[in-house]
């Protein structure tokens, strides 16, 4: 599976926030994850819009997770950042698992 740079950076930023479990300025996340700060800001704004991160303004402001890490899935992050999630095509009769497939259409 190939994902966009935006989604890759979003996953890294979310993992960073999950590890810290506290408010982190964009500059810290940007430095630690080697993500351009202007690009990271746009990503975090999108994640905020979808309720995955919370922001706090001011001198001690930044971003933190809006939920417990266990309540956020990779799928949530993908969807929030506009990543298209597609399953691999089904090969139907040519698949050795076709008879008992739980995921077939």
């Amino acid at each position: 599976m190939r994902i966009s740079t935006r989604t890759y950076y979003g996953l890294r930023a979310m993992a960073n926030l999950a590890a810290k479990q506290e408010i982190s300025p964009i500059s810290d996340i940007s430095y630690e994850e080697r993500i351009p700060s202007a690009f990271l800001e746009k990503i975090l704004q999108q994640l905020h819009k979808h309720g995955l991160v919370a922001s706090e303004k001011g001198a001690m402001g930044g971003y933190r997770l809006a939920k417990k890490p266990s309540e956020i899935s990779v799928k949530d992050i993908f969807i929030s950042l506009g990543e298209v999630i597609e399953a691999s095509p089904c090969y139907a009769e040519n698949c050795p698992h076709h008879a008992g497939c739980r995921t077939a259409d």
Side-chain angles (χ1 to χ4, degrees), residues 21-101:
Q21 302 244 346
E22 62 185 26
I23 296 173
S24 295
I26 289 178
S27 59
D28 289 359
I29 303 166
S30 173
Y31 176 78
E32 292 164 4
E33 298 299 328
R34 306 290 190 255
I35 301 170
S37 59
F39 194 25
L40 178 60
E41 186 170 6
K42 291 177 184 178
I43 292 167
L44 291 171
Q45 287 172 350
Q46 194 68 25
L47 293 167
H48 180 266
K49 180 180 173 183
H50 285 89
L52 298 181
V53 297
S55 65
E56 298 200 18
K57 297 180 182 183
M60 301 302 290
Y63 286 88
R64 63 175 172 77
L65 295 183
K67 304 175 182 182
K68 294 178 188 174
S70 61
E71 297 174 351
I72 300 172
S73 69
V74 171
K75 181 180 177 182
D76 295 332
I77 298 167
F78 273 39
I79 291 170
S80 296
L81 295 174
E83 191 74 39
V84 176
I85 302 171
E86 294 179 351
S88 297
C90 181
Y91 296 103
E93 293 82 28
N94 296 333
C95 178
H97 307 287
H98 177 69
C101 184

Side-chain angles (χ1 to χ4, degrees), residues 1-12:
M1 172 189 238
R2 298 188 86 147
I3 61 171
S4 66
T5 301
R6 176 185 183 89
T7 300
Y8 177 61
Y9 285 169
L11 290 167
R12 287 180 32 207

